[in-house]
Amino acid sequence: MRPSLLDPLFAPITSLAGVGPKVAALIERVLPPGPGERAARAADLLFVLPNSVIDRRNRPGIANAVEGAIVTLDLTVDRHLPPPRGNRNAPYRVYAHDDTDDIVLTFFHAHAAYLEKHLPEGAAVVVSGRMEWFNGRPSMVHPDHIALAEEAENLPLVEPVYPLTAGLSPKVLRRAIGQALARVPVLPEWLDPAFMRKQSFPGFQPALARLHSPENPLDAAPEGAAWRRLAYDEFLAGQVSLALVRAKVRRLSGRPLTGDGRTVEKLRAALPYSLTGSQEAALADILGDLAEPERMLRLLQGDVGAGKTVVALLAMARAVEAGGQAAMMAPTEILARQHLSTIAPLAEHAGLNVAVLTGREKGRDRAQVLAGLADGSIDIVVGTHALFQESVTFKNLVLAVVDEQHRFGVHQRLAITAKGDAPDMLVMTATPIPRTLVLTAFGDMDVSKLTEKPAGRQPVRTVTLPMERLDELVGRIRDAVAEGQKIYWICPLVEESEEAKLMSAEDRFASLKPIFGDRIGLVHGRMKGAEKDEAMRAFKDGETRVLVATTVIEVGVDVPDATIMVIEHAERFGLAQLHQLRGRVGRGSKPSSCVLLYKEPLGETAKRRLSVMRETEDGFVIAEEDLKLRGEGELLGTRQSGTPGFQVARIEFHADLLEAARDDARLILSRDPDLQSERGEALRLLLYLFGKDEAVRLLRAG
C-alpha cells in the first residue's frame, strides 16, 4: 500500500481549488510525460519546471539599457498611436518615458482595448522585455510583462516562466503549482548525506521551493543545485527500479544451458561467411552467460547490418542443444517474417524445426504452431508480441530473444519472464544508443556491442541534393533502373497525421508511375499485412525496381541488391532515423548510394544533421551527435523531445549524475534488498513520487 503520507499528492489535480475538468485538461498538456496512461495527480505539478525566468532586478533606466538585454523599466505612459484604420499590418505604438529618456513600446496585431486598459495614458507602469535600439531610439517590441505600478510591487523580482498551452493562463498554472507544493509533506531524506554535501544538494522540499520561487536565475536553471538534486532523485528512482527488476529476473533462478556444440557447429558450417571479430566476442559473452546458473539479461547493440540475427541464431541453437526451446520476438510482422527468411534456411541445415507466429496466423495453421510449441516439436519460434499472449504455452522455453528492444519496456521484460520457467533473455537493438542512455533504459542489462560490418559490405556514398534538382535525380534513377538496379524512395511523415503521411507517399508514387510504369511499387503503414508483404516480395524478386515507401521499411527490411536510397525531405528526419534508413542499402557487394533530398531554407540543426550523415557511417558517432543536436531528444522511441521517460532530468546537463545513481542503487540493494532499513523506507517514498509503483510491487512479490 502507498504510505498515507503521500495521499494529498496523489489526489487528482481536479481536487485543487480553481481546477475543474476544463482547466485540468489544459494542465495535462503541459505536464511532463508521466509513467503510463493515468489521470494527472497533484504530484505531477511539482515537476512542471520553468523553461526560463523573468529577472526584474535589472532596472538600469532607458538611457543605460544595453541593446538586447532583458530589462525592467518604471515608465509613465505618454500617448497611444494606433495603426491607421484598415491596415492590420502596421504596429500599434505606445510612447512612454522615465527620468532618463523616451521609449516606444511596439505591438503587432494588438487589441486596442487591452492596451488602453493595461497602459492607460498618464499612468505609472512597470514593463519587462528585451531592449532594442532603432536608429538610436530606444524601443521594446511586445514586452514580456506589463503591470500598473501599484500592482507591480507584489510581483516577485525573479519569476519562473512555465511552458503553457493555448487557453491556459500563467496565473492559473502558477496557482495550481503553488497548491501542489503546499501539499508536500515533511519527508525523510533518501539521499546519502555525504553525497549531498559533496554535490551541495538542498533537501527535496527546499529544492522544489527554490525552483518554483527562485531568488536568482540560477535557482531555476537546469545546472543549478536545486534542479540537479531533483534530476538525481529521478535517476535514482529509475536505477533502483531497474535494479529491482534485474534482481527479480535473476532471482527466478535460471539454469546452466550447455550443449555438445554439434548444432552450433552445423550452423557455422552452413554460413556463407565467417563471423567478424566482434560477432565472435559477442557470441562468447552470450554462451558464457548461458552456461551460468543465473539468468542471462544481455543487450546486443549492433549497427544496421552488423549481423545481430546470426549471433542470435547461434545462441538459440545452443538453447536447443541444451534441450530447450527458443523464441524470437520482433516489433512488426514484416520484421518477424524477415527474420524467419534469414533463419529458416540455415536452421534447416542444422536440423532445427522453426515456425512463425504473428497475429495473422489463423485457424489450422495457428493451432498447429501452438501444438508444436506445447509438445516441444518446434525448436525455435519467430513472431510478434502475439508470442507472449495467454493462449501460447511452451514445453520448455529457455531463451527469449527480443529484437528492437526500445519498443519493449521493463513491463514487457517481466511479461516474457513469466513465460516458460524464467527464460534467459537476449535483447537486440540496431539503434546505436549513447552510453548515457544505455544506462537509463537498460541499467539492468549487460551489454555487448557489434562494431564491425560483415566482410564484403560496401560503404554507402551519401550526397545531399536540393528539391529544385528533383528532375535531374529522376533522370539518374531512370538510368539506374535501366541498368537493373533497385531503388528505395522514402517519403516522410507529413505533420504526424496518418492521412497526410499517406498522401505524401501516394502522391510521389502517382508522380513517378508514368515514368516507371509497372516497375514501381508502394508500401505504407495503412496497407494490410498481406498487401505490404506482396509489395515487398515484388521488390525483393525484382518485379518492381523502385519502391516508394514511408518509414515502415526503417527497421530490418533486407533486400541485399538494393543500391540506391532516396530520402525525400531529409531535413524532417532525426539523425538516428536517417541512419537506420540508409542502412537498408549497401548490404550486398555492389557500391551503394544514399541521396538526401532537402527543401530550402535549412535551419542550423538540419544543416548539421545532413553534414553528419555525409561525414560518417558509424552509428555510435551518429547517436552521440543526435543526442547533442536534439538536446534531450528521445532516441529510444517516437517522442522527439524530453529525455526518455524523464520528467525532470535533462541528459545534456545531468549525465554526470547517472553513473553515480546507478552505483548508488546497486550498493543500496546489495545491503538492503527489500528496502526495509530507514533509508530503504524513504526510498520507497521516492519510487512512488516518480511513478515507479511497479518496482514497489516487485518488492512485495519477492
Side-chain angles (χ1 to χ4, degrees), residues 249-321:
V249 165
R250 290 269 155 113
R251 205 161 46 222
L252 292 160
S253 63
R255 53 221 160 297
L257 296 178
T258 50
D260 55 15
R262 282 207 301 237
T263 314
V264 173
E265 280 318 308
K266 276 188 198 155
L267 270 179
R268 277 179 178 269
L271 292 175
Y273 48 80
S274 53
L275 298 184
T276 64
S278 56
Q279 280 177 313
E280 290 286 9
L283 184 62
D285 286 345
I286 293 164
L287 297 182
D289 283 354
L290 292 177
E292 295 291 326
E294 287 82 24
R295 289 187 62 203
M296 170 169 80
L297 196 54
R298 185 170 285 278
L299 175 68
L300 178 60
Q301 270 190 284
D303 216 339
V304 175
K308 294 179 297 297
T309 312
V310 168
V311 174
L313 177 59
L314 290 164
M316 293 196 286
R318 170 55 50 91
V320 176
E321 278 181 0

Side-chain angles (χ1 to χ4, degrees), residues 92-123:
Y92 189 118
R93 294 190 171 91
V94 177
Y95 293 85
H97 72 274
D98 70 4
D99 300 344
T100 67
D101 207 341
D102 299 322
I103 189 167
V104 185
L105 307 176
T106 306
F107 301 87
F108 290 92
H109 305 297
H111 293 288
Y114 174 86
L115 292 176
E116 282 159 10
K117 180 182 169 191
H118 289 87
L119 293 168
E121 290 183 3

